[in-house]
């Protein structure tokens, strides 16, 4: 029995304020702002009928999807074909009312309330967006008992903390077909995210049809791109779910695909033909800001693109331009001197100002990665903060700088899901810098965006790279600051991960297919046992130099089946934590895991023998067995922990850090802790 | 060690003719016409490079896909970005040559040959279609040993038996998005099928954009349909894989969706507004052939549609029109009298002749379900034979009648995969009637089509209804008549099923998602144990009256996770067969299955308790346990099989026939056989 549910039984009505308790009252992600539980049940039967007050087309469709999803969840058939509208029957089982059609604009009202009594479900929202959020919440509230399915009775009042809750998807490095985008939009809607930032061009590809410049896809892609009809379809699909779609066309760097079509806009006159990249990395080709022909071209191109995306914002990239080709070009150097541009940053600002004018003509506000923040850029531009840690800036530094200079800003540093950090690392990321105290500055922090860069992902794997971790980021952006209990987050993340599968995401299925393939369609359990404690190498170290793989690789190897939060490692971590905090009862379960890992090697080696593709994890499997033995010894009173045992144990622990199949074991710290060897281990490393 | 492989080791070169052996020499489906195995290996390394002689765009793209698929299968990275063309290096590792670009026409040359030596792979084909078939064969030939992956050395000569090897997909009853169609086209290509028959309209929906008559989708669909751009995309995708796309627009019956848009073309003047159907069944609304305004409408509509599909054939349906509205309409009756049309069949023929003229104007040949075979119809039309068994005609009857009247014909009777028959039932279907002896008659038998009617399938489940069974049908249509060993078919079907997953089909993944959902994302094994011996009710009995479900139901219930060939039941069947044929060693494995089924009930009841959606299979699980006990008793010498035991056992067996969750147990006959109670069981039934 879970703590939250226990409370429900003891008291008729309990008000939860999130700062005070460890376990949430409801298993909803993101956690609503206010939940008041009552001690009752609204029973789900096929008599459930829905009436919507003031429904627009979007909410009518969403209401149908809600009933179908509830049907899938419960196996009940709600035979209502068409949603009833504007019922006057006060006793109608489910009543939804929306005030007006939401506008897909920053800051639109997304609030909603839900009241569930044993007789009725009532949803109220200012806009259809809020009502759709209520549906997502309701689908997460379904519970069951011996009698059937029900909603616990309660009231919920909810609204987002930040108005910009985004997911960036890079379709340049690996193209992602329309259905992949759509199912991820469904996932976003389920966790109440409202901005899909569409990274449509980069060195590796230009991914959208231009009727004015068909060369862009002919020469700047491998034939994989969205037609304009498909883009309209995606934008409409997102709009129907209350999600804005903001395009990004990265200039002046990250633009090799453009140069493949139009080499005349390059900055190195010796290059007459550019090839789009198939490797990962930062490359030198750059648009030439001193070429006056460039701006009419961009004006036509961005005008065409701007018309396809109704959103007010237009992202111009602007990142990671080192300007090597500018420095090497005497004409560009002369131009800079003439225009008193003292370095490449100022030259880029010169370029950005011109681009900004083009966007303004098209009614768009400019957004760019933080490198665009130069004095010449007006404060209508949105600064996208991304650097930190190993980059030139400390985390959040550009965020504070931006708001202090008066720019609205969106945070992605700490939300780079392609770095393959654990969910908790993203979850604990602070969006609102503590040093900001003035409300007008705070108001400039619009929110954040998870970023799915796609060098190492394909349509098969991208879902498992985005989900479920992005749900934790969605909660960070929606729920109260105080909602930050990592363990409760992980508990709910597992639940929401399951629900995201019903939504249509393939984050579970994709991995299962890879594991079956790698196991030669035989017994998959030995491989799963290793996968469940191994995580892909972080921070781009999986792909040294950006050339271990290129974009034509299949990405169906061991690392592609592993995830950032290896599930058994996570469970083991909390078992050990509690055990060390005195919960002796965990000993048996800990030993069971250790025994499993110890014995798994023999079983897995048999699988490896038949499937040469797995040879790369043969050592990793052996190291897991060895380190498991250290844990077993540590818990075995009959094993003497003398100096030589400790020395050997530390060696085994150090060896267990080594990567295998581009992954690392996530249980080493816990086993070191069991053995009391944390300090010796860290000293040895 | 498998028999085929054993032979390989013993002899350097063995010629297989399929009529003589039970186990095929290669695990390829459909089986090639001639395989000559040699005792060697071509080792796969990342040095493999491919050169194509005379490649067109389609084969160049297919060559890239081949390398990527080989990469996925082996984990090797073949870094060749662009296919080499027309190499003059005789030692180039893999050389493919095609004579000319294939035409997407009936009877095009699809033959190919493969020669694999330890040094080289050579593919020769008259057309790109043949070369692509060779790639599909090669992907199925990959094997591995301790050293790595390899192709066994051999030569293959292959060509299809029938020129028309089709899959009909009904997107009217349930719409299937573009990506679902595309992955099924990939599946078809993998088993060398070459016709996708696209059933685009029916009572339940009109599923293709008409620019001339937008009402068709506005009123005749639920908003789910293909745009013309999407249709062009699908047709091009199919063409790139050597697959013809033939559209079907079902008239004059099965046309309620058309009447929803244009009620004036209906035959019952009292109906002024038609609603498209959401249930399954045969319905009365019919176009009125006596309405002269109908033909200009059809001429415009079919003209628009014909232009979207380059294929020479155009299917007009024509099935299951009972003409009740014609009989009831005095004006129509008067018209028939006036035109000397003596019954509804002749009235339909009158209609078909006019439609045929419209198609002819558009350069199309007419195809229709067998009901169109009336004297007035010219023998350029293709007769699609479908009735038999419980229908008005005996199986094959219309096929023989058609060819004897000079019509070309395609067989679907026996290939109705939505009836949920076992694969073997489709596999043993005879395409070439024995009574046909004249070559000119035989030549009129063009081939066959599997038919996926979609009343009870969704994008989540459709793959598992089509695959892998359709691969057995593909083999029936491609391979020699003599290839008909059911057990070997099932052995290879499991292998090809795995490979179809790599191709991108979701037939495994879709079911797994449902099982996780039904099991509440807890332990799924108990539910799998029941699913693995249960098959959905056959012959449309799952959905009594066509109204137990409608098209808005979620179709994620127990029956949707079950398949026609329950895998454990299949394994059990062969264990018991061999055991009864004297293989005593099978006893332990048989008992293991029986023990599993006996003990599974307790575990599954715990899952059911937490997941009320599973209550519907509670009884089925108990009956499986009871019938397993009969089997255990039968094999236990200590249990006396006296009269009262037999009586009780027969009762248990009879009870075990009862459906649960719209499924039936597939192990009852085998357990009856173990108990020697087959006759008593059938007497009791």
């Amino acid at each position: 029995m879970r703590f939250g549910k226990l409370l429900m039984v003891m008291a008729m009505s309990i008000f939860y304020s999130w700062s005070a308790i460890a376990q949430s009252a409801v298993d909803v992600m993101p956690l609503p702002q206010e939940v008041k539980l009552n001690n009752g049940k609204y029973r789900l039967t096929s008599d459930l009928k829905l009436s919507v007050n003031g429904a627009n087309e979007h909410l009518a469709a969403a209401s149908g999807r809600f009933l179908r999803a509830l049907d899938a969840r419960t196996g009940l058939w709600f035979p209502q074909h068409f949603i009833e509208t504007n019922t006057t029957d006060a006793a109608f089982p489910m009543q939804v009312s929306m005030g007006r059609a939401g506008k897909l604009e920053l800051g639109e009202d997304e609030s909603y309330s839900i009241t569930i009594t044993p007789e009725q479900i009532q949803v109220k929202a200012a806009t259809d967006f809020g009502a759709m959020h209520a549906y997502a919440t309701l689908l997460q509230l379904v519970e069951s008992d011996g009698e059937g399915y029900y909603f616990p009775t309660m009231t919920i009042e909810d609204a987002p903390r930040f108005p910009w809750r985004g997911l960036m998807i890079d379709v340049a490095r690996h193209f992602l077909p329309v259905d992949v985008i759509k199912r991820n939009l469904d996932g976003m809607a389920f966790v109440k995210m409202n901005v899909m930032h569409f990274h449509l061009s980069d060195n590796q590809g230009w991914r959208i049809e231009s009727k004015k410049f068909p060369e862009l896809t002919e020469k700047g892609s491998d034939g994989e791109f969205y037609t304009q009809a498909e883009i309209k379809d995606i934008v409409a699909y997102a709009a129907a779910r209350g999600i804005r779609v903001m395009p990004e066309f990265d200039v002046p760097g990250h633009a090799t695909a453009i140069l493949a079509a139009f080499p005349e806009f390059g900055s190195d006159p010796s290059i007459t033909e550019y090839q789009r990249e198939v490797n990962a990395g930062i490359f030198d080709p750059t648009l030439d800001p001193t070429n006056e022909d460039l701006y009419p071209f961009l004006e036509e191109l961005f005008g065409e693109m701007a018309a396809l995306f109704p959103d007010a914002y237009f992202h111009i990239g602007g990142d990671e331009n080192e300007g090597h080709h500018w420095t090497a070009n005497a004409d560009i150097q002369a131009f800079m001197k003439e225009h008193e541009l003292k370095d490449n940053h100022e030259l880029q600002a010169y370029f950005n100002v011109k681009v900004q004018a083009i966007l303004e003509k098209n009614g768009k506000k400019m957004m760019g990665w933080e490198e665009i923040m130069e004095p010449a850029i007006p404060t209508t531009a949105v600064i996208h903060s991304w650097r930190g840690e190993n980059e030139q800036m400390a985390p959040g530094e550009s965020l504070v700088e931006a708001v202090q200079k008066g720019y609205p800003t969106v945070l992605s540093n700490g939300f780079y899901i392609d770095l393959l950090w654990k969910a908790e690392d993203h979850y604990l990321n602070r969006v609102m810098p503590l040093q900001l105290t003035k409300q007008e500055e705070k108001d400039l922090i619009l929110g954040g965006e998870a970023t799915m860069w796609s060098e190492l992902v394909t349509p098969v794997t991208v879902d498992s790279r985005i989900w479920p971790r992005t749900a934790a980021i969605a909660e960070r952006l929606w729920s109260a600051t105080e909602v930050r209990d990592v363990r409760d987050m992980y508990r709910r993340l597992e639940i929401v991960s399951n629900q995201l599968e019903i939504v249509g995401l393939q984050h579970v299925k994709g991995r299962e297919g890879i594991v079956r393939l790698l196991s030669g369609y035989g017994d998959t359990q030995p491989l799963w046992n290793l996968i469940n404690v191994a995580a892909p190498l972080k921070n781009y170290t999986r792909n040294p130099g950006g050339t271990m793989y290129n974009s034509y690789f299949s990405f169906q190897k061991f690392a592609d089946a592993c995830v950032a939060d290896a599930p058994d490692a996570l469970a083991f971590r909390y078992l050990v934590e509690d055990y060390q905090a005195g919960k002796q009862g965990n000993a048996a379960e800990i030993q069971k895991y250790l025994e499993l890992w110890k014995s798994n090697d023999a079983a897995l080696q048999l699988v490896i023998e038949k499937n040469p593709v797995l040879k790369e994890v043969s050592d990793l499997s052996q190291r897991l067995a060895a380190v498991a033995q250290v844990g077993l010894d540590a818990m075995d009173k009959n094993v003497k922990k003398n100096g030589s045992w400790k020395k050997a144990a530390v060696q085994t622990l150090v060896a267990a850090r080594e990567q295998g199949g581009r992954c690392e074991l996530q249980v080493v710290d816990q086993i070191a802790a069991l053995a009391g060897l944390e300090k010796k281990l860290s000293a040895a490393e």
Side-chain angles (χ1 to χ4, degrees), chain A:
Chain A
M1 172 149 298
R2 299 185 319 228
F3 181 64
K5 300 297 149 59
L6 195 65
L7 277 177
M8 276 172 50
V9 176
M10 294 192 305
M12 272 300 286
S13 178
I14 292 170
F15 183 87
Y16 291 89
S17 84
W18 303 122
S19 51
I21 60 154
Q23 175 154 341
S24 53
V26 287
D27 295 340
V28 175
M29 192 171 245
L31 262 187
Q33 304 298 346
E34 278 185 34
V35 178
K36 204 169 155 186
L37 286 173
N38 299 310
N39 188 17
K41 296 174 180 183
Y42 177 93
R43 290 247 160 243
L44 282 163
T45 72
S46 43
D47 292 337
L48 177 75
K49 278 189 183 175
L50 205 160
S51 173
V52 186
N53 254 339
N56 61 350
E57 199 186 333
H58 286 168
L59 188 59
S63 302
R65 290 197 303 274
F66 168 73
L67 283 182
R68 304 291 83 82
L70 206 58
D71 173 340
R73 174 78 175 78
T74 61
L76 294 167
W77 177 26
F78 308 111
Q80 186 178 22
H81 296 176
F82 302 101
I83 304 305
E84 179 117 1
T85 47
N86 308 326
T87 181
T88 52
D89 174 5
F92 205 85
M94 178 162 178
Q95 300 194 8
V96 177
S97 74
M98 60 174 262
R100 58 178 173 79
K103 288 182 188 161
L104 274 174
E105 290 174 0
L106 184 66
E108 178 57 292
D109 191 329
E110 298 177 80
S111 66
Y112 69 91
S113 70
I114 299 173
T115 305
I116 305 171
T117 68
E119 294 79 31
Q120 202 170 38
I121 304 155
Q122 283 201 308
V123 170
K124 287 187 179 145
T127 66
D128 46 340
F129 300 163
M132 288 192 270
H133 291 322
Y135 288 151
T137 298
L138 280 164
L139 287 172
Q140 297 183 48
L141 291 175
V142 177
E143 300 198 18
S144 72
D145 58 19
E147 241 182 273
Y149 296 92
Y150 64 89
F151 289 121
T153 57
M154 67 181 78
T155 59
I156 289 181
E157 294 284 343
D158 202 10
R161 179 171 166 224
F162 292 107
W164 190 301
R165 304 178 308 281
L167 169 63
M168 189 215 73
I169 303 183
D170 167 14
V171 293
R173 275 60 176 257
H174 276 94
F175 182 72
L176 300 170
V178 175
D179 61 299
V180 177
I181 300 299
K182 284 186 177 176
R183 71 189 185 221
N184 277 285
L185 286 166
D186 284 318
M188 289 174 66
F190 194 73
V191 296
K192 306 184 173 74
M193 296 180 99
N194 64 359
V195 182
M196 200 267 276
H197 166 175
F198 216 175
H199 185 82
L200 285 160
S201 75
D202 213 302
N203 298 315
Q204 291 82 355
W206 176 275
R207 301 297 188 183
I208 177 169
E209 177 190 16
S210 165
K211 293 188 196 288
K212 294 194 173 168
F213 304 104
E215 302 92 330
L216 285 167
T217 48
E218 280 162 20
K219 297 184 185 166
S221 88
D222 48 5
E224 302 244 66
F225 60 89
Y226 307 104
T227 64
Q228 295 199 353
E230 287 172 329
I231 288 290
K232 284 175 196 162
D233 185 29
I234 289 171
V235 169
Y237 194 90
R241 285 150 183 82
I243 297 173
R244 298 163 40 209
V245 178
M246 173 181 66
E248 176 185 352
F249 301 96
D250 209 340
V251 285
H254 285 277
T256 311
I258 300 176
L259 293 174
F262 298 101
E264 60 268 35
F265 296 133
S267 300
D268 181 343
S270 72
I271 305 177
T272 54
E273 206 174 311
Y274 288 85
Q275 295 290 341
R276 63 184 192 86
E277 293 293 337
V278 293
N279 291 315
I282 300 175
F283 303 96
D284 288 340
T286 314
L287 302 181
D288 176 3
T290 73
N291 182 343
E292 281 307 312
D293 293 341
L294 176 62
Y295 300 101
F297 164 73
L298 288 178
E299 182 154 353
E300 265 206 85
L301 177 62
F302 284 0
E304 184 187 9
M305 295 298 116
L308 293 169
F309 297 91
D311 198 59
Y313 293 85
F314 193 103
H315 201 300
I316 61 148
D319 54 321
E320 296 184 321
N321 170 32
E322 297 174 358
H324 295 152
H325 284 187
W326 294 349
T327 307
N329 182 323
D331 290 345
I332 293 177
Q333 290 304 310
F335 180 95
M336 286 168 67
K337 207 163 178 183
E338 189 192 332
H339 288 75
E340 295 182 347
L341 302 166
K342 70 172 191 298
D343 58 18
N344 287 340
H345 296 296
E346 292 198 357
L347 179 58
Q348 187 166 345
Y350 167 88
F351 169 82
N352 288 342
V353 166
K354 286 177 172 277
V355 171
Q356 204 269 336
I358 291 170
L359 297 183
E360 206 170 286
K361 248 192 220 173
N362 285 285
K364 300 293 184 190
K365 292 179 191 167
M366 184 163 90
M367 180 159 175
W369 301 102
E370 63 186 57
E371 289 96 324
I372 71 159
M373 185 163 48
E374 289 281 329
I377 303 299
T379 55
T380 49
V382 177
I383 303 304
H384 198 162
S385 171
W386 70 277
R387 286 183 295 187
E389 307 276 352
N390 300 324
E391 301 291 339
Q392 289 127 311
M393 303 184 97
E397 204 173 293
S398 66
L399 201 72
V400 173
E401 189 188 332
V403 299
Q404 286 176 345
K405 286 179 173 165
Y407 293 101
T409 178
V410 167
L411 181 66
S412 277
N413 181 273
F415 294 141
Y416 267 47
I417 50 179
D418 67 319
L419 291 173
L420 290 164
W421 294 358
K422 295 178 181 174
E424 64 192 292
D425 299 329
H426 301 302
Y427 188 63
L428 295 178
N429 194 27
R430 187 170 289 283
V431 183
M432 185 61 71
L434 289 175
Q435 59 265 58
L436 295 186
T437 50
K438 293 183 206 156
Q439 193 56 42
E440 64 268 28
E441 284 180 350
K442 286 184 173 179
D443 289 346
L444 288 171
I445 307 276
L446 304 181
E449 277 188 12
T451 55
M452 182 71 256
W453 300 105
S454 67
E455 283 89 345
L456 304 186
V457 301
T458 69
V460 171
T461 60
V462 67
D463 292 12
S464 78
R465 294 306 182 239
I466 299 177
W467 307 103
R469 289 180 303 151
T470 295
I473 296 174
E475 176 157 292
R476 173 60 41 242
L477 297 169
W478 177 284
S479 306
T481 323
E482 299 77 21
V483 178
R484 51 191 293 111
D485 185 291
V486 165
R487 192 157 173 179
D488 190 60
M489 177 277 288
Y490 273 124
R491 187 184 62 77
R492 286 178 297 120
L493 195 64
E494 191 187 336
I495 298 169
V496 84
S497 177
N498 294 333
Q499 292 163 338
L500 285 166
E501 175 162 38
I502 310 177
V503 168
L505 286 162
Q506 301 263 333
H507 58 305
V508 179
K509 291 171 179 159
R511 297 173 59 214
E512 287 184 328
I514 296 173
V515 171
R516 277 193 288 274
L517 168 66
L518 294 175
S519 302
Y521 296 91
D523 182 12
T524 56
Q525 197 55 54
L527 188 56
W528 276 118
N529 289 339
L530 184 60
I531 286 170
N532 286 340
V533 297
L537 296 180
K538 295 187 189 2
N539 300 333
Y540 307 138
T541 55
R542 178 178 170 192
N543 186 22
T547 56
M548 178 175 260
Y549 316 96
N550 78 8
S551 59
Y552 292 120
F553 187 63
S554 74
F555 295 102
Q556 302 208 44
K557 294 196 84 170
F558 180 77
D560 301 296
C562 292
V563 289
D565 293 287
D568 284 354
L570 189 65
F572 187 71
R573 163 179 152 188
Y574 287 121
L575 282 171
V576 171
E577 259 185 42
D578 287 354
Y579 175 70
Q580 296 207 305
K583 196 170 170 188
Q584 291 298 313
N586 281 4
E589 225 175 318
I590 291 170
Q591 280 165 323
K592 208 171 140 191
Y593 266 122
L594 293 167
E595 290 287 359
L596 174 73
W597 299 331
K598 180 184 165 184
S599 64
N600 190 61
D601 182 50
L604 184 54
Q605 295 300 341
L606 293 176
V607 178
I608 294 171
E609 222 167 82
K610 287 189 213 144
N611 298 282
V613 63
L614 286 174
K615 272 185 186 169
E616 61 172 351
V617 294
S618 174
D619 291 351
L620 194 72
S621 171
Q622 285 169 23
R623 292 197 290 268
L624 176 64
V627 84
Q629 184 62 58
V630 170
L632 287 167
D633 285 356
M635 295 180 78
D636 184 346
K637 283 173 194 157
N638 299 318
V639 175
K640 282 199 185 133
K641 321 297 185 308
N642 56 21
S644 72
W645 180 89
K646 283 182 187 169
K647 198 176 155 192
V650 169
Q651 275 175 352
T652 305
L653 287 162
V654 168
R657 293 286 200 204
E658 209 179 311
Q659 74 82 22
R662 314 309 295 159
C663 289
E664 58 191 359
L665 299 175
Q666 268 190 344
V667 294
V668 180
D669 287 335
Q670 283 69 37
I671 293 175
L674 278 176
L677 292 172
E678 304 102 308
K679 282 183 190 168
K680 277 194 202 296
L681 171 60
S682 86
E685 283 180 323

